[in-house]
Amino acid sequence: MINDKKAAAIIAEYNPFHNGHLYHIEQTRKLTNADYVVILMSGNFVQRGEPAIIDRYLRAEAAIKSGADAVFELPITVSTGSAETFANGSVSLAEKLGIVDYLSFGAETEDISELLKCSRMLSEKNHNAGIALYMSEGLTYPEARDAYLRENGYEKEADLLRTSNNILGIAYLNRIHTKGYKLTPIAVNRASVLHDGALELSADSHIASAKAIRGELRNNSGTLVEKYIPDATKASLKSAVSYIKNDDFSEVLFYRLGEIILKNDKKTAISLLSEYSDISKDMAGRIYKLFGKAASYSEFAAALWSKNYTYSRIDRVLYHILAGITKRLINDNEQFDLCPYIRPLAIKRSSIELLNEIGKFAKKNNFHLITRLGDIKDIKNKTVIETFNSTRFMTALYSQISYTGYGVRTYDEDREHFILRL
């Protein structure tokens, strides 16, 4: 709370910002009566394991122009993490801001009591051994968890955990519960969507999934998108012109893998690959075996697929290799509850007191608030510096590909304001 004013936080990717996200912000204000809504947003790489379709500053600007008061960036260690890492690091950031009263998230149900019940069931009893038994029979983790829960009488919980938004929402609740954070969770029932299918100009709904919108932008003319996005995003898409994709990173990925595989013997190379976050020994072996046998990023990722690994996980680990995100770095970040610094991207001029209060709270609690590039020089902790530099490196790589591949310059925080004020 800030001077008797309430603040709500939303964890998001806005890839891109669409009418469903606008609805979420509006409903959050309505349900909480919050004076401020702050967004905790993935930067240029997202949890699905791919580059965001447009630059983080354009997405942050669209959110501010659509009703948000401030946007803070999730470190790449969080934004490209597993669902658990993403949830834990994001909720940690909400707590670190020191001004957040409510955590609002989208779900397939607005009955927060059912989500809380499922969260308590998952966090208060260790189910890993039981789930592992089903995985040993060849099931993927989601399939094994579903089978285990239903076998043990948790049918309702299994139903809740079949949708991605519920899964993330329950993960947020787990973190709030286990850490004792003083955040009041709010579940906003998702507006009806056209799921992930093709967009339809004649459809009654003006809500579509981000995946469907991305597909239309990348694969078709994009003319069907306008009815599903607010004016702020229309301006952002016109500014972007290009829509970056995984295959744009093919050459740099193969160069990075070549540095590891071709300069070491097989045992050493597999050992080095196994050091990266989310990479098992088996996956490291598959990467080693298949290196040099694919012509593009997408072809390589498809070759790596097996029943044990989802496509999203494969994409995430390839970006972990590019970004230098190791298991050690993730473990080192545990001392900061997975979020080692606070990084504002954009803020309304009329809401500047938010940043002032966050600064006071951060200083009091020895949190690292980075509002300009010079702030990193005053930080002594190596983990904070390494995490920030990994995020900044991948941002620079994204910007370089945007310019060299499509002739589009992204927002230059070295020459312009580090924080976009609107």
Side-chain angles (χ1 to χ4, degrees):
M1 186 174 290
I2 311 167
N3 301 324
D4 296 324
K5 295 180 180 179
K6 296 179 179 179
I10 294 173
I11 299 166
E13 293 187 329
Y14 294 160
N15 187 32
F17 188 94
H18 57 65
N19 290 340
H21 298 135
L22 175 62
Y23 171 83
H24 187 185
I25 291 176
E26 293 172 343
Q27 287 297 109
T28 296
R29 286 194 186 276
K30 179 180 178 180
L31 293 171
T32 65
N33 198 30
D35 300 279
Y36 300 107
V37 174
V38 299
I39 311 301
L40 316 179
M41 190 186 79
S42 298
N44 283 347
F45 295 87
V46 299
Q47 202 268 333
R48 183 186 295 267
E50 62 184 20
I53 197 165
I54 53 176
D55 177 65
R56 58 186 179 161
Y57 277 105
L58 289 174
R59 286 153 45 231
E61 182 179 13
I64 295 291
K65 289 182 176 180
S66 300
D69 292 281
V71 179
F72 296 85
E73 182 183 26
L74 298 171
I76 196 168
T77 48
V78 173
S79 71
T80 63
S82 64
E84 183 180 19
T85 297
F86 180 86
N88 291 349
S90 300
V91 175
S92 171
L93 177 56
E95 179 75 6
K96 278 182 165 65
L97 295 180
I99 52 93
V100 175
D101 302 282
Y102 303 97
L103 181 67
S104 174
F105 55 88
E108 276 70 30
T109 176
E110 59 188 2
D111 189 346
I112 195 72
S113 65
E114 290 297 326
L115 296 173
L116 284 167
K117 181 181 176 182
C118 184
S119 169
R120 284 193 293 269
M121 181 274 294
L122 291 172
S123 61
E124 292 177 357
K125 181 181 177 182
N126 191 338
H127 303 275
N128 292 335
I131 295 172
L133 284 176
Y134 283 92
M135 291 183 69
S136 67
E137 297 175 3
L139 298 180
T140 64
Y141 179 81
E143 292 170 342
R145 180 181 59 195
D146 186 79
Y148 166 81
L149 291 176
R150 294 184 189 283
E151 182 69 23
N152 287 275
Y154 298 110
E155 287 85 2
K156 184 173 289 187
E157 288 80 1
D159 288 340
L160 287 173
L161 288 165
R162 297 191 73 174
T163 57
S164 58
N165 287 281
N166 281 352
I167 289 170
L168 272 178
I170 289 167
Y172 299 150
L173 296 175
N174 290 348
R175 193 62 167 182
I176 292 172
H177 174 68
T178 56
K179 285 289 183 178
Y181 291 154
K182 296 179 180 179
L183 300 170
T184 301
I186 301 293
V188 175
N189 198 2
R190 294 186 73 204
S192 60
V193 301
L194 299 178
H195 304 292
D196 293 332
L199 303 187
E200 299 177 21
L201 191 62
S202 61
D204 293 332
S205 175
H206 287 258
I207 304 292
S209 72
K211 182 177 180 180
I213 291 172
R214 290 194 301 273
E216 169 65 18
L217 289 170
R218 283 175 170 153
N219 303 323
N220 301 307
S221 64
T223 55
L224 299 183
V225 163
E226 289 209 350
K227 70 176 289 187
Y228 300 104
I229 58 176
D231 290 340
T233 298
K234 293 173 187 176
S236 298
L237 293 175
K238 288 177 182 177
S239 298
V241 181
S242 62
Y243 307 117
I244 291 178
K245 55 190 179 299
N246 280 333
D247 277 350
D248 292 323
F249 294 83
S250 298
E251 290 185 6
V252 67
L253 172 66
F254 292 149
Y255 174 83
R256 181 74 183 105
L257 290 175
E259 285 280 294
I260 299 170
I261 292 171
L262 300 179
K263 291 186 176 181
N264 296 283
D265 59 64
K266 180 178 179 179
K267 182 178 179 180
T268 302
I270 292 176
S271 178
L272 290 172
L273 289 169
S274 299
E275 292 177 3
Y276 290 96
S277 181
D278 282 339
I279 299 184
S280 64
K281 201 85 169 180
D282 173 70
M283 183 182 285
R286 291 176 66 81
I287 292 172
Y288 182 91
K289 179 181 178 181
L290 294 168
F291 175 72
K293 298 178 181 178
S296 66
Y297 176 107
S298 57
E299 188 178 318
F300 187 65
L304 286 173
W305 182 87
S306 76
K307 194 168 179 63
N308 294 326
Y309 310 118
T310 64
Y311 280 113
S312 292
R313 181 179 174 185
I314 290 169
D315 286 331
R316 285 197 299 270
V317 302
L318 294 180
Y319 280 108
H320 289 169
I321 293 172
L322 276 177
I325 300 173
T326 61
K327 294 181 175 76
R328 175 198 52 79
L329 180 59
I330 298 298
N331 289 336
D332 288 348
N333 267 304
E334 288 286 356
Q335 65 183 298
F336 303 103
D337 291 335
L338 295 176
C339 193
Y341 58 80
I342 302 166
R343 167 80 163 86
L345 285 179
I347 192 165
K348 273 185 182 175
R349 293 184 186 277
S350 59
S351 304
I352 198 67
E353 71 169 326
L354 280 171
L355 199 56
N356 296 332
E357 291 300 317
I358 290 168
K360 293 176 186 177
F361 187 77
K363 185 176 181 179
K364 180 180 178 181
N365 292 277
N366 294 316
F367 296 153
H368 300 286
L369 174 63
I370 303 175
T371 60
R372 55 189 179 86
L373 287 177
D375 291 342
I376 198 68
K377 297 176 182 177
D378 300 323
I379 296 174
K380 306 300 181 185
N381 188 284
K382 292 181 180 179
T383 300
V384 178
I385 296 171
E386 185 178 357
T387 304
F388 180 82
N389 286 341
S390 290
T391 304
R392 191 143 187 260
F393 167 75
M394 291 300 286
T395 298
L397 181 60
Y398 182 102
S399 298
Q400 186 66 41
I401 286 174
S402 177
Y403 182 59
T404 59
Y406 301 93
V408 177
R409 290 189 182 275
T410 60
Y411 186 86
D412 188 349
E413 59 188 20
D414 287 329
R415 297 183 179 181
E416 302 173 77
H417 293 294
F418 200 54
I419 304 172
L420 189 63
R421 292 178 171 86
L422 299 168

